[in-house]
Amino acid sequence: MRGVVFDGKRAEVVDDLDVRDPGPGEVRVAVSAAGLCHSDLSVMDGTIPFPVPVVLGHEGAGVVEEVGAGVRHVRPGDHVALSTLANCGACADCDRGRPTMCRRAIGRPTRPFSRGGREVFQFAANSAFAEKTVVKAVQAVRIPKDIPLTSAALIGCGVLTGVGAVLNRARVDRGDGVVVIGAGGIGLNVVQGARIAGATRIVAVDANPEKEAVARRFGATHFLTSVEGVRDILPTGADHAFECVGRVELIRQAIDLLDRRGQAVLLGVPAATAEASFLVSSLYLDKSILGCRYGSSRPQRDIALYADLYREGRLLLDELVTATYPMEDFAKAAEDAGEGRVARAVLTF
């Protein structure tokens, strides 16, 4: 079968990839569409270290092909969105409703794929850039069949991360003032999460002025090309500032923009060794700096919620898909995404 394999130097589409059958508690999914997320590009440029060779992709949707022993919540033929959380469901963190903190789901890459007799790693417990993948059953969330799979694919990462950061981690409330630095795929989902939460002033900041129209479509009340004008809109500062780019100087700007009791939420991913600075004295007015993994999500609950919000017209998905590419055009999709020419590139199978 076909898939996108990164060997440590380059990513290429191959046609000699194999995937094993699902074991107990696992599901094999025929992938229909997969979003190209910045995290995939970060593996390719070394920002996110990952063992190779690896099948890339982690934001996908498709149709259940086969289930392993003990799987009851999905069956062959079901449409599913895939999450990256291969959480165990039995540890203390899972039991407390914090699957993103499951220690058995972090830093334990598996190798369900093979190529020419050599095992190939799975990225983010998912590897959606393959015609078929095997995931833990908890990662496959059934969705209504009337949701286009090209749109549903984006729920599993961009929506869970961006909207989840607003609703689950920051807990934005009605009337709050929100600043979103970076209007890419994650940032747009933060914007619409803030809109859904009832924020009244949502300031999107992006150096590219061409992103204004789409940012306003998703719910931004204001758009700026730098943070310099934020205080004109929010004179006392922001209740919440989300950094969605992954640059330390922007992290500092997010912190400096906070009002009393404000929260800076870090979603962008800089290099693993990057260090950021801030004025310690600026935090004593009950300000907070919050890390956020995967939108602090509970995928089995949240994906179903977001699917309902989409069907009600409150959550935008189709508008996120700014370009679709057949798998053979992966290089072009990666270039367009890396240059910021598209909010979200989606590979189709």
Side-chain angles (χ1 to χ4, degrees):
M1 69 176 186
R2 296 176 301 162
V4 179
V5 176
F6 177 62
D7 64 3
K9 296 181 179 179
R10 62 188 296 264
E12 63 176 336
V13 179
V14 304
D15 59 8
D16 57 350
L17 196 64
D18 293 307
V19 65
R20 63 172 173 77
D21 293 333
E26 293 181 331
V27 175
R28 185 166 65 201
V29 176
V31 181
S32 298
L36 178 54
C37 177
H38 193 76
S39 294
D40 299 303
L41 302 178
S42 294
V43 173
M44 294 165 58
D45 67 18
T47 301
I48 297 178
F50 204 88
V52 295
V54 57
V55 179
L56 295 175
H58 64 285
E59 185 181 66
V63 180
V64 174
E65 185 176 82
E66 183 180 353
V67 301
V71 178
R72 298 288 184 268
H73 74 288
V74 293
R75 60 186 181 183
D78 283 346
H79 287 199
V80 292
L82 301 176
S83 88
T84 69
L85 281 184
N87 58 295
C88 71
C91 67
D93 285 305
C94 286
D95 193 51
R96 292 170 182 159
R98 302 187 302 209
T100 58
M101 296 296 104
C102 177
R103 286 173 171 78
R104 299 183 185 180
I106 302 174
R108 299 186 180 190
T110 60
R111 290 180 280 189
F113 300 98
S114 62
R115 186 185 180 206
R118 182 185 179 187
E119 290 184 330
V120 179
F121 284 99
Q122 184 174 43
F123 178 54
N126 190 309
S127 288
F129 293 168
E131 291 181 309
K132 299 178 183 180
T133 189
V134 170
V135 298
K136 291 185 68 172
V138 71
Q139 296 176 250
V141 184
R142 188 171 59 224
I143 57 174
K145 292 185 177 180
D146 60 357
I147 299 179
L149 290 171
T150 50
S151 297
L154 304 185
I155 300 177
C157 179
V159 176
L160 280 178
T161 299
V163 178
V166 173
L167 302 183
N168 300 327
R169 185 67 168 125
R171 298 185 182 275
V172 173
D173 201 357
R174 292 165 295 177
D176 283 351
V178 174
V179 174
V180 183
I181 301 176
I186 299 299
L188 290 175
N189 278 298
V190 172
V191 168
Q192 72 169 333
R195 169 178 52 78
I196 291 168
T200 52
R201 284 174 292 178
I202 305 170
V203 185
V205 181
D206 198 288
N208 183 355
E210 295 182 0
K211 293 186 177 181
E212 179 173 2
V214 68
R216 289 187 180 276
R217 175 72 181 90
F218 275 73
T221 59
H222 301 78
F223 182 89
L224 301 171
T225 54
S226 76
V227 300
E228 292 181 3
V230 169
R231 291 284 180 174
D232 294 331
I233 302 165
L234 300 170
T236 62
D239 296 302
H240 312 274
F242 296 83
E243 200 283 337
C244 305
V245 180
R247 289 169 49 185
V248 294
E249 66 272 23
L250 299 181
I251 291 172
R252 172 59 183 269
Q253 290 177 5
I255 296 168
D256 289 345
L257 286 171
L258 296 178
D259 194 359
R260 299 180 180 189
R261 295 183 56 82
Q263 300 179 136
V265 183
L266 311 186
L267 296 176
V269 182
T273 56
E275 297 183 359
S277 65
F278 58 91
L279 291 173
V280 176
S281 60
S282 71
L283 298 186
Y284 289 124
L285 292 172
D286 286 2
K287 300 179 184 181
S288 305
I289 303 171
L290 305 180
C292 184
R293 180 171 189 255
Y294 203 43
S296 301
S297 298
R298 291 169 286 176
Q300 287 289 335
R301 171 189 178 273
D302 291 347
I303 289 177
L305 169 63
Y306 300 152
D308 285 343
L309 290 174
Y310 167 79
R311 297 174 85 196
E312 293 171 3
R314 298 172 61 193
L315 180 85
L316 305 182
L317 290 177
D318 304 337
E319 294 81 357
L320 282 168
V321 184
T322 48
T324 59
Y325 305 77
M327 185 191 292
E328 290 76 12
D329 289 343
F330 170 77
K332 173 62 173 171
E335 178 184 345
D336 288 348
E339 293 295 327
R341 290 192 286 265
V342 294
R344 215 44 154 205
V346 175
L347 298 181
T348 57
F349 300 77

